[in-house]
Amino acid sequence: MSNEHHSPGSANGEPRVHSDVNFEPRDINTRTVLLYLFYLALSVAFAFFVSIYIFRFTTDLATKSEDTPIPVRQGFTQGLPPAPVLQGIPGNPNDPQQDLREKIQADEAANQKLEWIDKQAGIAHIPVEDAMKIIVAKGLPGATAAPAGKK
């Protein structure tokens, strides 16, 4: 490592000039770059405030111009959704478990009913247990054979 002091100039006080390397002071102008960044920030802020104004204006316009609620929201004025009200939510007087028990009871009663549907055609509604016994005793009617022409 050298302890010599190097001066940037030549011996006669003039700056050193290299014939192949040149510096042009106008390569970059810092003032222009800073002005560009300032105007960019200013335009971004302006666009932000304009978008906030447009959002608030259109929201106020929509709330003022809407006289009646849309049909989906008309039932919400009392706090309940529009009919039909689903089971199990507040405001519905029906108990879903009780409805299920009643449905199962009605299905069981329909399966055990014995009545004529069309007496002249011989169509009757009979209990499932009796229908299963008849099928076991007589068997199911056979299926028709497929046409022999197609394979």
Side-chain angles (χ1 to χ4, degrees), residues 86-89 92-103:
L86 299 177
Q87 294 175 332
I89 66 167
N92 187 350
N94 297 341
D95 176 27
Q97 296 300 321
Q98 182 61 33
D99 287 348
L100 178 62
R101 286 189 288 271
E102 290 171 2
K103 170 70 173 141

Side-chain angles (χ1 to χ4, degrees), residues 56-138:
R56 287 185 180 164
F57 174 74
T58 54
T59 304
D60 290 342
L61 182 67
T63 56
K64 289 177 185 174
S65 67
E66 191 173 307
D67 296 332
T68 59
I70 57 176
V72 172
R73 298 203 175 219
Q74 283 178 353
F76 287 112
T77 54
Q78 297 92 19
L80 296 175
V85 179
L86 299 177
Q87 294 175 332
I89 66 167
N92 187 350
N94 297 341
D95 176 27
Q97 296 300 321
Q98 182 61 33
D99 287 348
L100 178 62
R101 286 189 288 271
E102 290 171 2
K103 170 70 173 141
I104 290 172
Q105 227 174 17
D107 289 346
E108 288 293 324
N111 284 342
Q112 300 303 323
K113 193 177 357 175
L114 179 62
E115 66 180 356
W116 284 104
I117 301 226
D118 188 2
K119 194 170 189 176
Q120 292 177 349
I123 300 173
H125 188 260
I126 61 173
V128 175
E129 296 290 328
D130 295 342
M132 291 180 1
K133 289 178 186 174
I134 293 172
I135 288 175
V136 168
K138 293 185 177 180

Side-chain angles (χ1 to χ4, degrees), residues 5 8 10 15 21 27 53 59-60 83 87 120 128 138 144 150:
H5 179 66
S10 61
V21 178
D27 280 346
Y53 172 75
T59 304
D60 290 342
Q87 294 175 332
Q120 292 177 349
V128 175
K138 293 185 177 180
T144 60
K150 291 188 176 183

Side-chain angles (χ1 to χ4, degrees), residues 36-52:
Y36 172 78
L37 291 176
F38 173 75
Y39 287 128
L40 179 66
L42 194 65
S43 63
V44 167
F46 177 74
F48 176 72
F49 288 115
V50 166
S51 64
I52 287 177

